[in-house]
Amino acid sequence: MNRIDRLNALLIHLQGKPRVPIKELEDRFEVGRRTIFRDIRSLIDSGVPIGGDAGEGYFIVEGYHLPPVVFSKEEASAILLGAKFIEQSADPHTIHTFEKAMYKIKAVLKYSDKEFLDNLEDRIAIRPSPSPNPTPDSHIAEIQLAIATNRLIDITYYSQYNDSTTRRDVEPLGMVFYSGRWHLIAYCRLREDLRDFRADRIQKVKLLPQTIDPSLHPNYMDFLNEALIGTDAKEATIICSSSIIRFMGEQKYFQGFVDEKKLEDGRYEMKFVPPYYDYFARWLLMYGKEVEIISPSELQGHTATLSKELLDHHSTPFLAKS
């Protein structure tokens, strides 16, 4: 990036946050601290009111505004891809809000770039995951507001596990998208512990006047990783034929895949740290005799038990007919 482009990008970066640490600027532009100092001095000399210092970070004085942003066709194309994902992964309210934002983005494009984006839009698609029901209103906007302002919220939540609906006050810590759904990670005052709430099962949200302190709780991503992987997860080693490696695809990562190496006989040794042996064993059974479990013995025994149950179940009708 040449210096003129870097100065423009630096100005936009400063405009986008209340205060920006100098380390963040060094990392983004991949230059040293002295270069950042010189660039900031150049912006100040050109009339941009920049405050702050290296210790506390820099900011643009409130009231200063950039002229309307002009997107390049590459930037607009990237935003279009994001829009396609939002169409398939967000609730109706969020989709509608993003559509309005897209109209504003298109409005500032050059005519040739508008035509470019129109030609591209109908030829980019995200194939939706099979689902019998459309995504309901999952109150994403209200949850985002609560997270950003550190507000306590009152939610009405449906638990599929015990088929019950409860009201509870929760302290929202973060939102995560996984397994095709948005999830709210929050401290539940009813259960007095961190909980993972599926956003599409939240029926009502009410922002309360009380503020919360997220630093009093563990990091929400650490909590989620422990919940999904398990703190007592154990390593498992399997050997599989080369013919099924390609069929495992990305599914192996959902099973706690760690590493693999090719053996001299052409087969592959694979290591996993599965969160649940029962689910992992059932997944391995899909591949039949093409998989051999090396360790642990607990997994070997459980898989053998499942195999016998499966054989007995399917053999009974056959033997009865005989």
Side-chain angles (χ1 to χ4, degrees):
M1 182 182 293
N2 62 49
R3 188 161 189 259
I4 297 300
D5 290 340
R6 189 175 67 245
L7 286 173
N8 184 55
L10 176 61
L11 179 56
I12 293 173
H13 195 118
L14 290 171
Q15 185 89 14
K17 288 188 173 182
R19 188 180 290 266
V20 182
I22 191 168
K23 181 66 166 58
E24 184 175 318
L25 298 174
E26 291 175 315
D27 291 343
R28 179 186 171 184
F29 297 108
E30 299 179 344
V31 296
R33 184 160 296 200
R34 293 180 62 184
T35 300
I36 296 296
F37 286 153
R38 286 197 298 268
D39 288 349
I40 289 176
R41 172 50 57 187
S42 296
L43 291 174
I44 292 173
D45 291 343
S46 68
V48 180
I50 297 176
D53 54 47
E56 298 294 328
Y58 292 95
F59 61 92
I60 292 181
V61 176
E62 189 173 359
Y64 177 83
H65 296 287
L66 288 171
V69 175
V70 177
F71 294 96
S72 68
K73 66 173 62 176
E74 291 80 8
E75 292 167 337
S77 298
I79 294 172
L80 174 63
L81 288 179
K84 295 294 183 179
F85 278 105
I86 286 176
E87 287 176 1
Q88 300 299 331
S89 62
D91 61 359
H93 176 78
T94 304
I95 294 171
H96 178 66
T97 302
F98 195 85
E99 285 176 350
K100 292 193 295 183
M102 279 298 296
Y103 283 120
K104 294 179 181 179
I105 291 170
K106 292 176 181 178
V108 298
L109 294 176
K110 295 185 294 185
Y111 181 84
S112 60
D113 291 343
K114 291 178 184 178
E115 188 175 18
F116 172 86
L117 205 63
D118 281 342
N119 290 337
L120 185 63
E121 186 165 8
D122 292 335
R123 302 173 73 176
I124 299 289
I126 305 295
R127 187 174 183 272
S129 300
S131 176
N133 301 309
T135 303
D137 186 352
S138 17
H139 306 281
I140 291 176
E142 295 101 312
I143 294 171
Q144 285 179 316
L145 177 60
I147 291 172
T149 57
N150 292 324
R151 296 271 293 280
L152 184 71
I153 57 175
D154 172 8
I155 67 171
T156 301
Y157 186 73
Y158 169 71
S159 174
Q160 191 176 42
Y161 176 74
N162 54 18
D163 192 26
S164 65
T165 301
T166 57
R167 279 188 61 184
R168 54 184 86 187
D169 289 351
V170 302
E171 302 179 24
L173 304 178
M175 287 184 68
V176 184
F177 185 84
Y178 72 91
S179 298
R181 300 290 182 185
W182 281 104
H183 293 247
L184 166 66
I185 310 301
Y187 178 80
C188 176
R189 291 189 175 180
L190 177 65
R191 307 302 183 199
E192 297 184 341
D193 201 359
L194 267 63
R195 288 291 187 267
D196 177 351
F197 299 101
R198 242 178 67 169
D200 60 317
R201 293 179 184 163
I202 298 176
Q203 298 175 352
K204 293 181 182 178
V205 173
K206 180 181 179 182
L207 270 71
L208 302 177
Q210 297 98 314
T211 58
I212 65 168
D213 183 359
S215 65
L216 298 177
H217 306 292
N219 178 273
Y220 73 98
M221 283 303 298
D222 291 342
F223 161 78
L224 182 64
N225 289 333
E226 288 184 4
L228 295 178
I229 298 176
T231 55
D232 58 348
K234 302 174 184 177
E235 186 176 88
T237 303
I238 68 170
I239 292 179
C240 61
S241 66
S242 58
S243 61
I244 66 163
I245 282 286
R246 62 191 180 94
F247 294 110
M248 289 184 170
E250 294 185 356
Q251 282 296 316
K252 64 185 180 184
Y253 296 103
F254 293 101
Q255 307 299 328
F257 172 76
V258 176
D259 188 30
E260 71 180 30
K261 66 178 180 180
K262 191 172 183 179
L263 303 177
E264 292 182 357
D265 62 3
R267 296 185 301 166
Y268 286 80
E269 179 183 278
M270 306 177 73
K271 294 186 182 299
F272 293 81
V273 182
Y276 307 104
Y277 277 164
D278 180 67
Y279 190 86
F280 185 57
R282 294 174 190 276
W283 181 69
L284 292 178
L285 284 174
M286 291 195 304
Y287 302 106
K289 64 180 183 179
E290 302 298 322
V291 170
E292 177 186 354
I293 299 172
I294 304 302
S295 65
S297 57
E298 179 186 351
L299 178 60
Q300 292 173 326
H302 187 65
T303 308
T305 299
L306 291 174
S307 299
K308 186 177 185 306
E309 290 176 355
L310 191 64
L311 177 63
D312 292 344
H313 173 73
H314 289 287
S315 297
T316 302
F318 175 78
L319 293 174
K321 290 179 181 179
S322 302

